[in-house]
Amino acid sequence: DSGVTQTPKHLITATGQRVTLRCSPRSGDLSVYWYQQSLDQGLQFLIHYYNGEERAKGNILERFSAQQFPDLHSELNLSSLELGDSALYFCASSAGTGTGGYEQYFGPGTRLTVT
Amino acid sequence: AQTVTQSQPEMSVQEAETVTLSCTYDTSESNYYLFWYKQPPSRQMILVIRQEAYKQQNATENRFSVNFQKAAKSFSLKISDSQLGDTAMYFCAFTPRSYNTDKLIFGTGTRLQVFP
């Protein structure tokens, strides 16, 4: 158990819908990262938050957005869903500020299926 | 662009034998970090080993060790005394030392099967 929790574990929804994935980091970790793992794109970095501040964006679609709340949990919002958005979405957290290559602890992931 | 390449999509090894997984990366940075992550069938991502680029000494964690060749931009993982529980996808990952983010850039993975 990494100490990072993600809900829900599984999500099945239809094209065009909107979903919210939730992540609670390990106690004390201020950095939260979101990654997408799909069959054709592999593991891709989406976005990094540090203590509520957006630090970096990767290949995140405009239909996707995220935020980190004052209690440090984070949410990833996916809208106007397409079949190609079906993937495993990981949240990770670390004790780092974004500079030191700290270990990232991964949650169990949310499996999103768009039908 | 910073990229990570794992040229072996699949590998297999017999229990108790040694296997080496390859990884190369491309970056213009001089200071960075390299990682190997394991993803067993449960899909959980687990850190196996971490290497700091400015350290000459190769990292070791029990049966896992790396061969880090900075000039060649190579970072291979050696698993000694392979166990059935080592069966998993292995991802090589890179993060530059920066002032802003330590996002991970992953390779495409190597699927390792350990046979009894």
Side-chain angles (χ1 to χ4, degrees):
Chain A
D1 184 358
S2 66
V4 178
T5 60
Q6 288 187 248
T7 56
K9 286 187 178 179
H10 302 280
L11 199 49
I12 302 174
T13 189
T15 54
Q17 295 299 303
R18 182 180 191 277
V19 297
T20 298
L21 313 185
R22 183 188 169 101
C23 167
S24 292
R26 289 190 322 154
S27 177
D29 284 356
L30 298 180
S31 274
V32 170
Y33 313 78
W34 287 96
Y35 295 90
Q36 179 195 56
Q37 185 175 29
S38 61
L39 282 175
D40 54 346
Q41 300 281 351
L43 260 166
Q44 288 210 319
F45 165 74
L46 294 177
I47 199 162
H48 169 204
Y49 276 89
Y50 172 74
N51 201 21
E53 173 195 348
E54 182 186 301
R55 280 296 182 90
K57 269 186 176 180
N59 295 325
I60 187 167
L61 301 169
E62 284 191 14
R63 301 183 285 106
F64 295 3
S65 65
Q67 58 183 130
Q68 186 180 27
F69 294 86
D71 68 352
L72 301 177
H73 91 272
S74 178
E75 292 181 357
L76 179 67
N77 300 297
L78 316 176
S79 62
S80 302
L81 285 168
E82 301 175 0
L83 296 178
D85 298 327
S86 295
L88 186 56
Y89 291 84
F90 283 109
C91 167
S93 76
S94 84
T97 61
T99 64
Y102 282 75
E103 176 176 355
Q104 293 185 23
Y105 294 85
F106 282 74
T110 293
R111 167 73 68 187
L112 174 66
T113 302
V114 183
T115 62
Chain B
Q2 294 158 338
T3 57
V4 177
T5 301
Q6 293 180 251
S7 58
Q8 306 153 315
E10 294 185 358
M11 292 194 73
S12 62
V13 64
Q14 198 152 21
E15 209 175 358
E17 297 297 307
T18 295
V19 64
T20 299
L21 309 184
S22 302
C23 172
T24 58
Y25 56 94
D26 188 22
T27 182
S28 57
E29 304 279 342
S30 59
N31 210 359
Y32 46 86
Y33 302 86
L34 294 159
F35 305 84
W36 279 97
Y37 276 86
K38 168 185 176 180
Q39 188 179 40
S42 66
R43 307 294 267 179
Q44 178 71 48
M45 294 289 289
I46 303 163
L47 179 66
V48 174
I49 202 162
R50 175 181 176 273
Q51 175 80 41
E52 299 175 58
Y54 57 88
K55 287 190 175 178
Q56 299 287 342
Q57 189 172 4
N58 288 325
T60 299
E61 286 287 343
N62 301 315
R63 298 182 296 107
F64 299 88
S65 61
V66 298
N67 183 4
F68 173 49
Q69 303 287 332
K70 192 172 184 180
K73 295 181 182 174
S74 170
F75 182 60
S76 60
L77 175 70
K78 185 171 85 170
I79 306 174
S80 304
D81 185 25
S82 296
Q83 300 176 359
L84 296 178
D86 296 333
T87 292
M89 279 289 285
Y90 287 81
F91 292 96
C92 179
F94 161 95
T95 185
R97 180 174 170 83
S98 79
Y99 296 99
N100 200 40
T101 184
D102 46 6
K103 65 183 183 185
L104 291 169
I105 300 166
F106 286 94
T108 51
T110 295
R111 185 176 303 279
L112 177 67
Q113 180 73 49
V114 180
F115 290 98

